[in-house]
Amino acid sequence: MTSLVGTSIEFYDFFIFATAAAIVFPTVFFPEGVSPFVALIASFSTFAVGFFARPVGAAVFGHFGDRIGRKRMFVIALMLMGGATTLIGLLPPYQLIGNLAPLLLVALRFVQGFALGGQWGGAVLIILENAPDDRRGWYGSFAQAGAPIGTILANLAFLIASSTLSPDDFMAWGWRLPFIASVVLVMLSIFIHMRFEETTAFRELQEAEQARQADAAAELAAKLGIDRADAADRLAQEQRQSPALQALRQYPRQILLAAGTFVGMQTSYYLLVSFSLAYGTGPAGGMTTSTMLAAVLLGAVMMVPGVFFGAWLSDRRGRRGVICISALLLAAWAFAVFPLIAGGTLASAAIGLCVGQFLNGMIFGPLAALYTETFATRVRYSGMSLAYQLGTLIGGALAPLIATALFARYGSSVPISAYVAAMCLISALAAWLIRETYKVDIRDEAGPVMA
């Protein structure tokens, strides 16, 4: 439950930026006189910065998470995210500080991405390294559900603010309230630090490593005729290579395939939670901001049962099949969702978004278990974080920008749907090629092996 709360608030912080990038930032943080299209492109560019920071966060947090523990790095990531998001809510507009406004926005967005890059791996491992072997998919879904719940909270916050305030008040200061509220994340991180212990798998690994190191030091000391402490220092120096580099060297194929299983869902997801707002409230849909926010909110709600159902099914039928079939269905649905949004009603937009997000959830639910089961304990935080964030970078970082450019060039949603479908087909192929993992023993120190 703690990981669910932590990931929900963490993703809330990350996704309120996506919402604001579509409806607020083009006006607040960029100069007047710029065309709406150019301002939207610039705003989505700041949104993309967070994705490029995520692999950096994955490498750094993965290194220390595999060295000193999952819990500590999870707490640090939560505090970084909460602090950066709160500061965005306090950032002066372009009219007051000029070009410094978008520069500071980009810097804080980078911190958000850096924090999220390390947070996900810690949250998942806190659950799954303590979970029963035959229910890792189900247990992992509680961490995965944080993404749609964070989206729900983000859209609720903006929906309430935009509905209860006048348009002028909302644009002047009301949009800041959802950002400032993330100070709660800092308090949560302190609570987790004080109340919870390290994962069982990591503690077992540390104990085994200490025993192995003691035996190796004694053997080396006897062989070289040196003091045991000196022998231990030599061994420690030889083993200081980054876990992230070890993961890249030992698991290059697994990292690429694991990332590939994620790209289609990420492309679809960020178009449905961010680009769809601009599309639905623009000439194509003609809906009000409140109506479109409500549709996005309903879609996020439907993703939650998708996450749990996909994870539950993967414990019984395997991870690969669930992901592969869901990705193929999502590829087909991509050609229906934008015409439904263009229908211009809450009902039609909600149908398009709800089905799309349910399928996204079916893919997302099993991924926590799949990634955990793919890597050995000693490099697990690094390996799974790198795979996850690489998939996010390829699939989600530029998705709103690409969709905006495609719509501006062709004036039709068909090229956007084709783009989503192509990314989903990549995910289906990667899921087909990756090794099935739902029966592996994740506690094997040499790497996960089939039970």
Side-chain angles (χ1 to χ4, degrees), residues 131-447:
D133 290 345
D134 61 346
R135 301 190 68 194
R136 285 193 293 260
W138 176 253
Y139 274 69
S141 65
F142 284 89
Q144 299 298 78
I149 291 174
T151 305
I152 293 168
L153 295 174
N155 282 280
L156 269 177
F158 271 95
L159 183 60
I160 292 171
S162 64
S163 300
T164 56
L165 298 172
S166 68
D168 289 341
D169 286 341
F170 175 74
M171 294 301 295
W173 56 268
W175 67 268
R176 298 179 181 275
L177 299 179
F179 285 87
I180 296 173
S182 70
V183 71
V184 173
L185 193 59
V186 178
M187 295 186 286
L188 175 65
S189 63
I190 296 172
F191 172 78
I192 293 173
H193 180 69
M194 295 175 63
R195 293 290 299 273
F196 291 91
E197 297 182 355
E198 190 51 77
T199 69
T200 302
F202 185 77
R203 291 199 308 270
E204 290 176 353
L205 175 65
Q206 283 187 314
E207 292 169 1
E209 286 290 335
Q210 289 171 0
R212 187 184 299 112
Q213 286 292 318
D215 292 342
E219 182 179 344
L220 183 63
K223 181 179 180 181
L224 300 179
I226 61 176
D227 184 81
R228 183 176 295 189
D230 293 335
D233 288 340
R234 286 195 183 189
L235 290 172
Q237 290 176 5
E238 293 174 358
Q239 296 179 359
R240 284 174 183 168
Q241 185 183 15
S242 165
L245 294 178
Q246 292 181 42
L248 288 169
R249 188 180 70 250
Q250 296 172 18
Y251 296 96
R253 182 177 182 273
Q254 290 91 331
I255 289 174
L256 289 176
L257 288 177
T261 61
F262 199 25
V263 295
M265 178 264 164
Q266 282 289 280
T267 301
S268 169
Y269 184 76
Y270 281 101
L271 292 187
L272 297 188
V273 301
S274 183
F275 173 76
S276 66
L277 287 169
Y279 184 81
T281 57
M287 288 178 279
T288 65
T289 298
S290 295
T291 299
M292 199 58 212
L293 281 171
V296 172
L297 177 63
L298 291 172
V301 170
M302 278 304 299
M303 186 176 173
V304 177
V307 166
F308 286 110
F309 180 64
W312 173 82
L313 190 61
S314 77
D315 279 335
R316 285 150 181 79
R317 303 298 182 188
R319 322 296 183 203
R320 295 168 57 212
V322 174
I323 295 171
C324 187
I325 293 172
S326 300
L328 292 174
L329 292 173
L330 187 59
W333 188 252
F335 291 92
V337 63
F338 292 106
L340 284 168
I341 294 174
T345 67
L346 174 60
S348 63
I351 291 171
L353 294 173
C354 284
V355 174
Q357 292 289 42
F358 182 85
L359 293 173
N360 279 331
M362 288 285 292
I363 298 171
F364 196 53
L367 284 178
L370 173 68
Y371 284 17
T372 299
E373 294 159 351
T374 297
F375 302 98
T377 305
R378 68 183 72 254
V379 296
R380 182 170 292 140
Y381 201 137
S382 297
M384 63 188 293
S385 295
L386 288 171
Y388 182 94
Q389 303 308 337
L390 180 61
T392 298
L393 177 62
I394 297 171
L398 301 178
L401 278 171
I402 292 172
T404 302
L406 287 173
F407 189 69
R409 173 67 177 84
Y410 297 102
S412 168
S413 66
V414 174
I416 303 173
S417 299
Y419 161 56
V420 176
M423 300 301 280
C424 289
L425 291 176
I426 292 174
S427 288
L429 178 61
W432 181 257
L433 293 175
I434 202 169
R435 188 188 67 157
E436 183 56 77
T437 62
Y438 78 116
K439 291 184 178 180
V440 303
D441 179 6
I442 68 170
R443 288 174 294 277
D444 183 79
E445 294 177 23

